[in-house]
Amino acid sequence: MLEYFEFYRGNMLTGFDYYYGKLTDQHAFLLKTTKDLGFLPAEVTEPSFDFNRQLAPNPKLQQYAGLWIDLTFQWQAFSKQMEGFIGGWAKEYNGSSDALGANDEWGLRVKYDTNEEEQRFWGVNRYTDNFDDFLKWLDSMASRRIR
């Protein structure tokens, strides 16, 4: 089962969109932040990085209010779908870079309970065959259009 993931896409000139998901002892959540919000990257592995309607909101996480969704009951299916998307991915997708820095950079780090180490995938101006489908799925989940 998926323990956590972090996905980012963007570049150093315009900023990055981030998706975070995490399973805790009691619940699971999904958070999407867009570059126009100007947030710094979060650390999904931090114990305090946790969103739960049953707990008092952490003041440090108040900026994310309204951006996360509870995936507790969908987490198992979400985990299987994530694994289905990334099962055949290579570690690197390095295309030719733009000298001005207007690259399309992306990365994914995932941790499954079956692996001791997290896995990392990344690309610059190059993508997996199912990248667009993966991104559409992730967006649909983050925007509360659960499929």
Side-chain angles (χ1 to χ4, degrees):
M1 174 109 51
L2 181 65
E3 291 181 14
Y4 65 82
F5 80 94
E6 172 190 313
F7 176 80
Y8 67 87
R9 185 178 189 191
N11 64 52
M12 296 300 285
L13 292 176
T14 62
F16 293 89
D17 294 334
Y18 286 91
Y19 300 79
Y20 305 95
K22 185 176 181 179
L23 174 66
T24 70
D25 292 340
Q26 304 298 320
H27 61 278
F29 65 86
L30 175 63
L31 167 71
K32 176 184 178 184
T33 63
T34 56
K35 55 187 148 207
D36 58 307
L37 296 172
F39 295 150
L40 294 174
E43 180 49 62
V44 71
T45 61
E46 286 292 321
S48 63
F49 191 71
D50 188 4
F51 301 92
N52 184 345
R53 291 188 193 342
Q54 307 303 323
L55 301 174
N58 179 338
K60 292 181 181 177
L61 302 177
Q62 198 60 26
Q63 64 185 350
Y64 302 113
L67 299 176
W68 65 276
I69 62 168
D70 189 321
L71 278 187
T72 302
F73 298 110
Q74 295 89 9
W75 191 258
Q76 188 171 5
F78 182 87
S79 178
K80 285 181 181 181
Q81 280 194 277
M82 175 76 76
E83 195 167 12
F85 274 110
I86 69 171
W89 285 13
K91 299 288 182 202
E92 299 178 13
Y93 293 87
N94 199 3
S96 59
S97 296
D98 182 325
L100 299 176
N103 297 304
D104 186 15
E105 304 170 30
W106 63 271
L108 173 69
R109 55 189 278 227
V110 294
K111 171 77 172 69
Y112 286 93
D113 60 3
T114 54
N115 294 353
E116 212 169 295
E117 301 287 323
E118 70 178 28
Q119 297 173 287
R120 291 181 182 244
F121 307 92
W122 65 272
V124 177
N125 300 327
R126 193 167 156 225
Y127 315 92
T128 68
D129 289 341
N130 64 353
F131 186 82
D132 288 337
D133 291 336
F134 171 75
L135 196 54
K136 285 177 190 172
W137 169 73
L138 200 52
D139 261 338
S140 75
M141 296 298 290
S143 62
R144 296 172 176 82
R145 292 189 304 271
I146 311 261
R147 297 184 204 190

